[in-house]
Amino acid sequence: MQSRDTAKLDSTPPPVPVTHQSTAAVIMEQLAPAAEEPQIPQQTADLIDPQLTAASQDAQPQPSAEPVDTQHGAGLASQPPEEAGREHKKEPNKEHPVSKRVAVLEIVRAVKKHPRFKLSKHDIFKLFDVPERTGHRWIQEENTPKVPKKRGRPKKVRPEASIPPNHAPIGSLPLNTQCELETLNPQILSAMAQVQPASNNYIHGHHPSVLRSHIWRTAANSCAYLLPHLKPTDKILDIGCGPGTISVDLASRVPHGSVTGLDTSTAVLEQARQHAHEHRVPNVEFGLGDIFKLPYADDTFDIVHAHQVLQHVPAPVAALAEMRRVTRRGGLVAARESDMSACSWHPSPPRNGLARFIKTYLKIAESTGGAPTAGKLLHVWARDAGFAPESVASSAATWCFASPEDVQWWSGLWAERIVESEFRERALAAGVALEELERLAEAWREWGRSDAARFVVLHGEVLCRK
């Protein structure tokens, strides 16, 4: 979602589809016609995409702090001729692995500091064509404290040639001077908003094992906190509607109103329409939509609802702000999210299988930019999104699976989801071994075989009055 400042720029070029180019390359291509705009700082362009400044390096000599050697050329200090030759053999227009690593790490830091740009780590790795395992390894190495060197006589270090700007090593391009997004030209920020990747970091996909749990959800078991506030004429927007069971249930409770369900999957929306047709509920419709760019005018709906959505988006505060925008004055924004760190169960399978599952789930969700503990943060996010503290009502509720039928259903779908849904691919990308996933699936099956099994999922809820 574009910031308010950049959205006002009339000169922003029209959006173009994202290709396999880097984010910076697409931005620069969009900005090419705007010749009158200020040029991007040289070091910022070097950081984001070395290929963009290759040509300018030949025309504009780079200043160097190294002493000049008149025999072998400027900026090479006292290199032997053969080393200088090797240096000149490098082709500056080829992207250097170290430079790509610099760009990825600096943009990860910048987006973390400015979450409104809603780029997850997964999205950044994809845009720079970096394997997820490699990207996570870079971040882990960057965040690992360096062990102080042992005291002793320092080794002699051979003087090295000056490094071209587009081959700069880690640490030579500080965030506060090179890649902090606030320092970029407003035109660049506007263009960056146009090339944002999909805003959905949903780690489960729409595998049958996932949809079985979604189809089970109803207004009664998933948004009971909202039902007392419904009026027959309410116009409701249900974001992240999935197969439509909650949307259709809400529509049946507002006979003189309407419900619009939005999702990012065309296939699951077809299931939602079929579900509405089977239940003969005419006042509900479904369509594609992005929570960060809702295709509606301000003050359109009486109620805007999202269930288990904000934990899967990279910028939940921005999402809530957009939900608030399309809610009429006096209307409600309703959200319900689980807190996976607060799950409880009995009994515990051998080797703490379910405890290991929860730890693994948190790791995978966080690695993709999600917030698996969103349930306990909703009231804070609502205030940050612009709601007055006194207009936010916070509550909690649970799903409890304790009957033999519920236990078998819940354990079976998780055992299947871990090894067969998109969750498996996200887990492998986050560094979880396939053998460990198989052990976690078996832990769920083993828990389900107990005649005393019980599993509780805690949810946080907010009702925000605009």
Side-chain angles (χ1 to χ4, degrees):
M1 182 179 68
Q2 290 178 253
S3 67
R4 293 181 179 177
D5 293 337
T6 58
K8 295 178 181 179
L9 294 175
D10 297 330
S11 58
T12 303
V16 296
V18 179
T19 66
H20 293 293
Q21 295 173 290
S22 67
T23 306
V26 178
I27 293 171
M28 293 298 295
E29 182 178 349
Q30 286 188 297
L31 297 179
E36 70 280 5
E37 292 297 327
Q39 296 299 313
I40 302 171
Q42 179 66 39
Q43 290 175 319
T44 302
D46 291 336
L47 167 66
I48 299 179
D49 194 338
Q51 298 182 22
L52 300 176
T53 57
S56 64
Q57 291 175 10
D58 296 333
Q60 299 179 1
Q62 299 292 329
S64 173
E66 298 288 349
V68 175
D69 187 328
T70 57
Q71 182 178 357
H72 304 306
L76 296 179
S78 56
Q79 284 192 114
E82 58 273 14
E83 290 191 11
R86 285 198 296 270
E87 183 69 23
H88 286 295
K89 287 180 181 179
K90 292 181 179 179
E91 297 181 16
N93 61 339
K94 288 188 177 181
E95 191 171 28
H96 195 279
V98 175
S99 180
K100 179 181 285 190
R101 172 172 172 157
V102 171
V104 168
L105 290 175
E106 293 293 352
I107 292 178
V108 166
R109 294 191 205 109
V111 172
K112 184 177 181 181
K113 186 173 182 180
H114 304 279
R116 61 191 175 88
F117 290 98
K118 64 181 190 301
L119 274 171
S120 70
K121 296 174 185 176
H122 172 76
D123 295 328
I124 295 171
F125 300 155
K126 185 176 180 180
L127 288 170
F128 280 89
D129 295 323
V130 174
E132 288 214 10
R133 290 190 179 183
T134 301
H136 287 297
R137 176 171 56 80
W138 289 350
I139 295 173
Q140 183 177 8
E141 292 173 353
E142 178 77 359
N143 295 332
T144 302
K146 295 183 180 180
V147 180
K149 294 183 179 180
K150 295 182 179 180
R151 294 182 177 180
R153 187 175 180 180
K155 296 181 179 180
K156 293 183 178 180
V157 180
R158 181 180 179 182
E160 297 182 356
S162 60
I163 303 175
N166 60 333
H167 294 171
I170 293 290
S172 65
L173 297 166
L175 172 62
N176 59 353
T177 59
Q178 306 295 333
C179 189
E180 186 167 347
L181 296 183
E182 291 293 345
T183 67
L184 296 182
N185 185 301
Q187 282 284 71
I188 298 179
L189 294 179
S190 178
M192 182 177 284
Q194 300 296 334
V195 297
Q196 292 290 329
S199 58
N200 187 355
N201 289 334
Y202 192 50
I203 64 175
H204 303 289
H206 295 92
H207 186 269
S209 61
V210 179
L211 292 178
R212 287 204 302 273
S213 67
H214 292 180
I215 293 171
W216 166 81
R217 298 173 185 175
T218 64
N221 65 28
S222 297
C223 60
Y225 69 105
L226 174 61
L227 300 185
H229 302 274
L230 297 182
K231 296 187 292 292
T233 58
D234 277 342
K235 185 177 182 180
I236 302 174
L237 176 63
D238 186 23
I239 302 174
C241 64
T245 51
I246 296 177
S247 304
V248 171
D249 206 351
L250 289 174
S252 67
R253 296 168 187 262
V254 290
H256 304 295
S258 64
V259 174
T260 301
L262 295 184
D263 206 280
T264 59
S265 169
T266 303
V268 79
L269 286 173
E270 286 301 319
Q271 297 185 42
R273 295 185 183 99
Q274 181 65 25
H275 181 75
H277 176 73
E278 292 173 354
H279 287 75
R280 298 181 179 180
V281 178
N283 60 331
V284 60
E285 61 180 4
F286 298 96
L288 291 171
D290 182 349
I291 193 171
F292 294 107
K293 299 176 182 178
L294 296 174
Y296 306 105
D298 297 356
D299 306 323
T300 299
F301 296 94
D302 299 297
I303 295 174
V304 178
H305 169 260
H307 180 268
Q308 305 280 44
V309 173
L310 298 177
Q311 63 182 282
H312 298 296
V313 301
V317 173
L320 277 168
E322 180 69 349
M323 293 168 68
R324 182 178 185 274
R325 180 186 67 80
V326 300
T327 304
R328 69 167 179 81
R329 296 291 177 181
L332 288 172
V333 170
R336 185 177 194 251
E337 300 290 333
S338 61
D339 178 0
M340 290 302 291
S341 68
C343 292
S344 64
W345 59 87
H346 177 83
S348 182
R351 299 178 298 280
N352 296 319
L354 293 189
R356 294 203 326 274
F357 164 76
I358 295 297
K359 183 177 180 180
T360 301
Y361 184 96
L362 297 176
K363 174 183 177 181
I364 296 167
E366 290 170 354
S367 72
T368 61
T373 61
K376 63 184 177 184
L377 301 171
L378 280 176
H379 64 297
V380 178
W381 291 347
R383 296 174 186 179
D384 292 342
F387 290 100
E390 61 272 15
S391 70
V392 179
S394 182
S395 59
T398 62
W399 286 338
C400 182
F401 304 97
S403 70
E405 297 79 9
D406 287 348
V407 167
Q408 291 300 313
W409 175 77
W410 188 244
S411 64
L413 70 84
W414 270 111
E416 183 179 347
R417 183 185 300 193
I418 289 172
V419 294
E420 295 186 22
S421 73
E422 188 174 335
F423 181 89
R424 173 182 180 272
E425 303 306 318
R426 297 293 184 108
L428 295 175
V432 182
L434 179 59
E435 294 77 10
E436 174 64 5
L437 292 177
E438 292 172 345
R439 287 192 290 266
L440 296 179
E442 178 56 32
W444 273 108
R445 287 188 286 267
E446 191 168 356
W447 170 81
R449 287 192 286 266
S450 171
D451 57 3
R454 178 178 183 271
F455 196 96
V456 177
V457 182
L458 178 65
H459 295 82
E461 304 162 338
V462 288
L463 279 173
C464 311
R465 182 78 64 178
K466 182 176 177 181

